[in-house]
Amino acid sequence: MDKRCGTKPIWIWYPGDWEVWLGNIFNNRRTERGAMFPPFWKQDSHYVTVEFSNTFTLACEETITITCEGQYNVALDGKLLFPATTYRIPAGEHRLSLKVWNQATPPALFIQGDTIGTDGTWLVTYEDKIWIDENGVAHGSGIYVPAASWNFDSPDTPPSKYRLERREMRPIGQYDISPNVILYDFGRETFGYLRVRNLKGTLHVFYGESREEALDKEYCETLDVLVCRECSDAVADAKAFRFVCVEAEEGTTFDEVLMDYEYAPHDGDRTGRFHCSDEELNRIWDVAAYTMDLTNREFFMDGIKRDRWTWSGDAIQSYLMNYYLRFDTECVKRTIRQLRGKDPVTAHVNTIMDYTFYWFKSVMDYYEYTADAAFVREMWPRMVSLMDYVLGRTNADGMAEGKPDDWIFVDWVDFPMHKRGTLCFEQILFMKALETMAACAKILGIESDYRAKAEELRNKIKQFFWSYGQKAYYHAIEDGVINRHITKFPNMFAILYGLSYEEERSEIMQSVMLNPDIEPITTPYMRFYELETLCMMGYHQKVLHEMRAYWGGMLREGATSFWEKYVPEESGTEHLAMYGRPYGKSLCHAWGASPVYLLGKYFLGVKPTKPGYEEFEVRPVLGDLEWMEGDVPTPSGMIHVMMDRTQVRVMATGGEGWLVVGGRRLHIVAGEETIMRL
């Protein structure tokens, strides 16, 4: 290494270890009525001893300063040096190595000198003598470089000390329920730390996403007991809530109740936007965007009140929404790393078979939006070992079938649907996972047989599940017998994931997707895919109607963020119940924010046609709107789209694209406004 003077050093660590460590903290914050509630899947740990190494050539003597998270030793050219924090390195060619041990947090290193500094050129190993580069690949030339936005570029900002930002907020309403009980309303769903000024005594705190929940001391999902003899500020653990009910024990006094809102900062110059002639649709987009912001934290979480965990099925939707809202690629990578964890593989991701298949696809989605081949290279060894696990558990027909230690999820359904045997839905996801492996291998220049395996499975799905009479895919094979139940799940994924050819897609639309006799989907989770299918098949107006009815229905029920599930036929407190608990439903759930994705990709019509928006397409659809405009973030800036009944205007700051309306195409050149008269 012959480096320039003034290179800015950063903190470095073993690739993925920081995400695994932080994920354990993140996933173990969940509580139920004050008791901790850890995840039920395996949690990995960071490597406790790590060696960092680099070679360099110095024209003259140089002093370096070492800051380290953990105990360490230093070797120069293979010779151990006396313990210190500063060293003078003589001129010449050298190898500098440091072994770092830290049981509590990931071993991390920060070195600063005139030309020597920790950066993406360092190698790392966990003592098996296989050196890992910045892409997580053996025998490479660097180590993972953390995101600059997280400010790990100073000895005073080590990785283990990272915290989200906070902002003080006060309630908008205060209601005396009884002489010692007060209800506070913070105006809308939020997340943060309740703070009580000048508390003297004991205060019982009951949180609620709804007024009813906060006032129900017996059944509210989250609560706290704050005890302080004399505190300027008594602070509770972070919670999700809109309402807070506080009950003071006799003799307890305090001045006021407020909160520190906790959030992940975002780049305001690279933020998606949508606005149109329909004010209800504007409110839907705004609330969906707010829902996304609440669930985009250290990682993408599912719901901010109950689970507060990272789930792969939830996360893949969050990633796609994020590409049209914040384009926070670092949070995407953190979440993918954390979900995958470490080898050896002993269970499916989150123990759910379908969530494993979504995990594979999430890597390819990321590449398509970013062109970041380095991340694909980093993930590749763990993709291979996870796919080996999947292939090792297939049945005699080479298909994925749940075993006793697997959870087959699909969706929360209200109608009878067996989740045993060989599900068609799972095979379609499995096929897509194999196709993802083949595509990633091609990106990396690696020979593989994944494409052949995917084609073999594709043929089997057609053979076993397609009904020429019903024009639909059957549900499953159970005990060697076909279960002829027809649901939307495998049929819409046959369209989405390219299993069905054009004529078959049209048949599925009529026989299943538009058939009122097929059981409806009631969760925003699968409505995401249902409405995307409708958009892909050109039913944009129906999607607008569904958005107004479904997400608009939540708004009419008073939602300030979108819910885990919405059943229009329910009323009152029925909307709050789930899992057999009166307030079990999360009223801020990431998979409820899909309008951000649908409006950006299928109405503004923006999508990459080459990785990282090197080339892109704008195919806007106005539907019954009089006008719409918005911005879509990309790696090279923003794409602005405006459309009304007379014209379409597009301005892109980078890349090269095509504006497509009907049968007409116009070339989009970065930095120049493209106008199509209608």
Side-chain angles (χ1 to χ4, degrees):
M1 175 175 75
D2 189 4
K3 298 173 62 65
R4 302 181 283 111
C5 289
T7 299
K8 191 173 181 62
I10 56 168
W11 283 92
I12 58 175
W13 53 82
Y14 192 91
D17 265 15
W18 182 69
E19 288 83 354
V20 166
W21 170 81
L22 185 63
N24 289 342
I25 296 173
F26 183 89
N27 283 323
N28 283 281
R29 289 172 179 163
R30 175 178 174 177
T31 63
E32 285 197 8
R33 293 191 61 79
M36 75 163 294
F37 197 99
F40 48 78
W41 53 81
K42 181 190 73 167
Q43 297 181 75
D44 295 320
S45 295
H46 62 273
Y47 294 121
V48 298
T49 303
V50 172
E51 182 174 355
F52 302 92
S53 184
N54 208 342
T55 58
F56 48 86
T57 301
L58 296 180
C60 57
E61 186 179 66
E62 181 172 329
T63 298
I64 62 170
T65 301
I66 297 174
T67 308
C68 193
E69 293 216 292
Q71 298 181 39
Y72 65 93
N73 67 29
V74 180
L76 185 65
D77 302 324
K79 180 180 179 181
L80 282 176
L81 304 181
F82 190 80
T85 57
T86 62
Y87 294 93
R88 294 191 67 81
I89 311 297
E93 295 184 7
H94 299 287
R95 172 174 289 276
L96 182 64
S97 301
L98 292 91
K99 290 185 178 181
V100 183
W101 172 77
N102 192 333
Q103 193 76 35
T105 67
L109 180 65
F110 186 95
I111 295 178
Q112 187 169 22
D114 291 335
T115 64
I116 299 173
T118 41
D119 61 6
T121 65
W122 286 69
L123 297 176
V124 60
T125 181
Y126 58 91
E127 294 294 78
D128 63 358
K129 303 308 177 189
I130 297 177
W131 294 94
I132 303 297
D133 68 8
E134 80 277 13
N135 302 314
V137 178
H139 306 294
S141 60
I143 191 171
Y144 164 62
V145 179
S149 62
W150 284 52
N151 297 321
F152 296 137
D153 55 3
S154 162
D156 300 323
T157 57
S160 69
K161 302 302 181 184
Y162 178 77
R163 300 292 182 272
L164 296 176
E165 295 189 11
R166 301 184 188 184
R167 183 172 68 245
E168 184 178 278
M169 293 177 59
R170 284 181 162 75
I172 65 166
Q174 176 179 330
Y175 309 94
D176 293 330
I177 304 302
S178 68
N180 66 327
V181 177
I182 303 173
L183 180 70
Y184 295 91
D185 179 6
F186 284 85
R188 62 176 179 172
E189 182 88 5
T190 189
F191 187 94
Y193 299 82
L194 197 72
R195 193 146 49 89
V196 182
R197 286 267 174 86
N198 295 320
L199 174 64
K200 297 179 181 179
T202 302
L203 203 63
H204 297 265
V205 183
F206 306 93
Y207 300 86
E209 293 184 302
S210 63
R211 179 186 178 96
E212 291 87 349
E213 182 181 9
L215 290 174
D216 193 332
K217 295 187 290 185
E218 184 174 359
Y219 291 107
C220 70
E221 295 276 311
T222 50
L223 52 84
D224 272 317
V225 179
L226 301 181
V227 181
C228 193
R229 292 185 178 180
E230 188 167 351
C231 299
S232 57
D233 277 325
V235 182
D237 290 334
K239 300 286 193 304
F241 56 90
R242 172 180 170 176
F243 296 91
V244 174
C245 182
V246 299
E247 180 177 3
E249 291 191 1
E250 185 176 355
T252 295
T253 62
F254 60 92
D255 290 345
E256 63 176 330
V257 171
L258 53 148
M259 72 166 296
D260 290 329
Y261 172 62
E262 186 181 57
Y263 63 97
H266 297 106
D267 182 357
D269 293 331
R270 197 165 71 163
T271 292
R273 188 176 63 89
F274 179 86
H275 198 64
C276 70
S277 55
D278 184 336
E279 282 305 316
E280 181 180 42
L281 206 59
N282 292 336
R283 288 185 61 218
I284 289 171
W285 193 93
D286 288 343
V287 172
Y290 181 63
T291 302
M292 271 300 298
D293 281 346
L294 285 174
T295 56
N296 177 1
R297 314 191 67 75
E298 296 97 329
F299 305 94
F300 287 106
M301 68 162 64
D302 61 338
I304 63 173
K305 178 182 74 171
R306 190 193 60 252
D307 282 17
R308 297 177 59 176
W309 291 342
T310 52
W311 294 92
S312 182
D314 307 53
I316 192 172
Q317 294 188 4
S318 292
Y319 307 150
L320 292 170
M321 300 171 205
N322 163 71
Y323 298 137
Y324 287 87
L325 181 62
R326 301 294 187 185
F327 213 80
D328 184 349
T329 55
E330 293 304 322
C331 192
V332 174
K333 290 190 290 185
R334 289 195 300 271
T335 308
I336 290 174
R337 291 185 183 107
Q338 190 274 324
L339 282 165
R340 173 57 183 85
K342 290 175 171 286
D343 287 331
V345 181
T346 59
H348 281 295
V349 177
N350 304 126
T351 75
I352 302 177
M353 180 188 290
D354 20 321
Y355 281 24
T356 289
F357 298 142
Y358 289 133
W359 183 88
F360 287 107
K361 185 175 181 295
S362 72
V363 177
M364 191 63 198
D365 287 345
Y366 172 81
Y367 176 74
E368 289 175 349
Y369 280 92
T370 66
D372 183 358
F375 182 69
V376 178
R377 191 173 296 109
E378 176 193 335
M379 287 294 104
W380 180 250
R382 296 185 185 187
M383 294 175 73
V384 171
S385 56
L386 183 57
M387 183 55 74
D388 286 347
Y389 174 82
V390 171
L391 292 170
R393 291 166 67 89
T394 54
N395 63 19
D397 293 314
M399 291 191 280
E401 183 173 339
K403 294 185 180 295
D405 56 336
D406 296 333
W407 179 3
I408 306 300
F409 177 62
V410 185
D411 190 20
W412 297 120
V413 294
D414 297 320
F415 51 88
M417 186 183 77
H418 297 173
K419 296 183 183 180
R420 56 183 294 269
T422 308
L423 271 65
C424 180
F425 169 84
E426 298 289 349
Q427 310 321 308
I428 297 173
L429 268 60
F430 183 18
M431 178 199 74
K432 191 65 174 180
L434 287 167
E435 290 179 348
T436 295
M437 292 294 293
C440 290
K442 184 177 180 180
I443 292 165
L444 301 176
I446 297 171
E447 291 187 7
S448 76
D449 63 351
Y450 294 117
R451 181 67 63 187
K453 291 181 183 296
E455 286 303 310
E456 182 181 1
L457 182 57
R458 175 187 293 268
N459 293 332
K460 287 180 179 179
I461 296 170
K462 294 271 190 179
Q463 174 188 348
F464 283 93
F465 298 102
W466 176 251
S467 168
Y468 288 95
Q470 297 292 334
K471 307 298 183 187
Y473 285 92
Y474 285 135
H475 173 58
I477 300 170
E478 299 174 12
D479 301 321
V481 178
I482 193 74
N483 179 332
R484 299 178 184 272
H485 190 61
I486 295 174
T487 70
K488 291 184 177 180
F489 304 116
N491 287 283
M492 64 190 182
F493 275 85
I495 294 174
L496 287 170
Y497 284 0
L499 173 65
S500 299
Y501 53 83
E502 185 174 355
E503 181 181 349
E504 190 176 285
R505 291 197 296 269
S506 298
E507 291 173 341
I508 290 173
M509 290 303 298
Q510 297 304 315
S511 61
V512 181
M513 302 307 298
L514 302 176
N515 185 349
D517 295 329
I518 300 296
E519 292 94 342
I521 293 172
T522 60
T523 64
Y525 177 51
M526 278 291 151
R527 295 224 91 185
F528 178 102
Y529 297 112
E530 180 183 22
L531 296 189
E532 182 168 24
T533 303
L534 293 174
C535 286
M536 286 180 63
M537 297 302 293
Y539 291 88
H540 291 75
Q541 188 54 47
K542 181 173 176 60
V543 171
L544 285 179
H545 171 77
E546 293 292 328
M547 280 190 192
R548 290 163 178 147
Y550 193 80
W551 281 268
M554 283 189 261
L555 294 180
R556 289 186 287 276
E557 293 289 344
T560 61
S561 56
F562 286 131
W563 306 346
E564 182 176 13
K565 186 178 181 181
Y566 172 58
V567 181
E569 292 74 23
E570 294 177 343
S571 62
T573 56
E574 289 179 312
H575 286 302
L576 309 177
M578 202 167 173
Y579 310 110
R581 307 199 300 270
Y583 311 105
K585 184 182 297 180
S586 174
L587 300 190
C588 175
H589 205 284
W591 70 35
S594 55
V596 168
Y597 172 68
L598 296 169
L599 291 169
K601 184 174 182 179
Y602 293 104
F603 286 87
L604 294 178
V606 178
K607 68 174 183 179
T609 52
K610 283 190 176 180
Y613 284 91
E614 178 187 352
E615 291 184 8
F616 60 89
E617 180 181 85
V618 179
R619 192 183 289 265
V621 176
L622 199 57
D624 63 10
L625 302 173
E626 291 300 316
W627 59 268
M628 66 179 179
E629 65 171 333
D631 297 300
V632 173
T634 77
S636 56
M638 305 297 293
I639 298 174
H640 177 76
V641 181
M642 191 287 292
M643 183 179 190
D644 60 22
R645 297 293 176 184
T646 65
Q647 64 180 342
V648 182
R649 293 175 177 265
V650 178
M651 174 66 82
T653 56
E656 182 181 26
W658 291 94
L659 170 61
V660 183
V661 180
R664 300 171 60 193
R665 288 168 60 89
L666 281 181
H667 188 216
I668 301 170
V669 178
E672 299 178 11
E673 186 175 48
T674 301
I675 303 174
M676 179 185 287
R677 308 292 180 186
L678 303 178

